Amino acid sequence: MKNWFGLSRQRVKKSHNIVRSYETAGEKASFKARGTLLYTLLICGFVAVGVQAFYHQAVNSDFLRKKGDVRYEARIPLHAERGRIVDRNGEFLATSIPASSIWVVPEQLLNAPAESRAALAKVLGDSPKQLEEKLNANKSKPFLFLKRQITLETSDQVRALKIKGVNIDAESKRLYPQGSLMSHIVGFTNIENNGIEGLEKQYNKVLEGSDGSRVVIRNRLGDIIEDVASSASIPAQHGDNIQLTIDSRIQFIAAQALEKAIKKHDAESGGVVVVDSVSGEILAMVSMPTYDPNNNKDRRGAALRNRVITDTFEPGSIIKPLVAALALDAGAITRDTKFATGNGSWQYQGARITDVSNHNGTLNVAGILRRSSNIGMAMISERLRAQQMWTVFNALGFGQAPTMGFPGAAAGRVRPWKNWRLIEKATMSYGYGLSVSLIQIAQAYTALARDGDMISLSLVRNQNRPSSIQVFSPNVARDIRVMLEGAAGAEGSKVQAQVSGYRIGGKSGTARQIVNGQYSKSAYRGSFVAVAPISNPRIVVAVTLDKPKKGGYYGTIVSGPVVAEVIEQTLKYLGVPPDAPIAPPKNKMEAHNQKSNKRTQG
């Protein structure tokens, strides 16, 4: 530009002192040409700007609008609502409620007045010192959750403090209205609402749904003024609800009966399962000790175990009716085959097998079940091949994890039959040398309740029909039911006397537990399994107590009364017609080991 204008200014200055006529014609022409060029460039610039303005206003107006929108566009996440879990009657077992999370930028909050931080700490249930330590420990982080899943009342209190940099986000929190009653079945979720225990874990994909998003335009104040039609706007897909086969009322009946027994006998743990033998639906499944899934501090340790499904044990005498059914079905024995059990002690294959009573004498198979004779069962096992027993155990589901859709279900243990020694075959016939879970035993007894076909179990209601497998012939199953009624009657465990209005058939089992590699003489497991009403079976009830320490330990004593209470109340609740006179129970059994020792092993 100096070349353009400097010369002219010099010449003008000179022109005041000397003469204007010194400018040559060439210089005048050059000055005019440069001025014309400059003018032309200015005109071209204005024209270019005008064309651009016209183009964007008239032709490409969407471009400008989009550019402007982007400055105020925001994507808001839409959280999917987790599905509910309800019982067979629609009672809520797990649901979601609104909650809030509090998050801050640590450095920003540290710059807030100390009084504000102290007030915030108080509302959140922390001390000012705890809050300060948390902020300083995360000072370099751009984001920090102070609390999650707090109540809306608490978040309102936080909002009222009006502390700059303290943010509140909406979220949801899982609530378990039935508390500890259903904890082992339903399980719970973590802070991110992902299932980590029980059916919350098993059906997490079904329950969780999928989050969506909403694209909006905000004004300068942050208010939403418009929804934007965008492929990024995706509606949230809420999770599906799940309906269980469990009945809350029957679950409550079973839990109360089991809790009383555990306290009375000072047992370490226990379990109850109630199965509808017609449909295969599990009506109740109780495990103790239990925990409250609503309380994070409760969610730990052994209390989390659903012992009905995850714990396996040597079943003891509750397995005898199943082996007896096999022997009858295989033609190895008849109902009238007699076995001389002697004086309660029998040497077999280098080992001594004993009965609790030394006066059992000669028994048929019904007598063996009624007197719970180990010697009688060992003699029956002599007539069976190992492969026969293994095949039936396998058909009953022993040694295989149940396919009912529950995490952590145990398979139990049944060794390959080729490795069985004769003494092992004998001990397995009365419940030692193999392990099962309580749910496996309950399912196996459905074969006796259903004329020989064992039904598949279900915990979640669906449209699929249950399947079944014929394990025993119908006649044999009916014969065994008659024998079970005798085993629960006056000449057996006497548990029948504790049930009013319904005839039952059942078998007790008492198993010594292995401690430090040896069978203990002080640690026992007492169990009882029953079918009722025996005239037309509707339910199977299985109960077990682990390590009862007082008031007896036999299955008849510790678990029999639980079975009786659950059967009577459940059948009344289900409206099942009585098949026996309804009268106050007479001759209630006073449980004590001395009397029981003389009558039955179970």
Side-chain angles (χ1 to χ4, degrees), residues 31 153 463:
F31 179 79
E153 291 76 12
Q463 301 302 318

Side-chain angles (χ1 to χ4, degrees), residues 527-544:
S527 309
F528 202 100
V529 189
V531 175
I534 202 68
S535 59
N536 185 20
R538 173 67 188 278
I539 58 174
V540 172
V541 179
V543 177
T544 188

Side-chain angles (χ1 to χ4, degrees), residues 19 179 275 291 460 501 538:
V19 286
V275 175
Y291 65 96
V460 175
R538 173 67 188 278

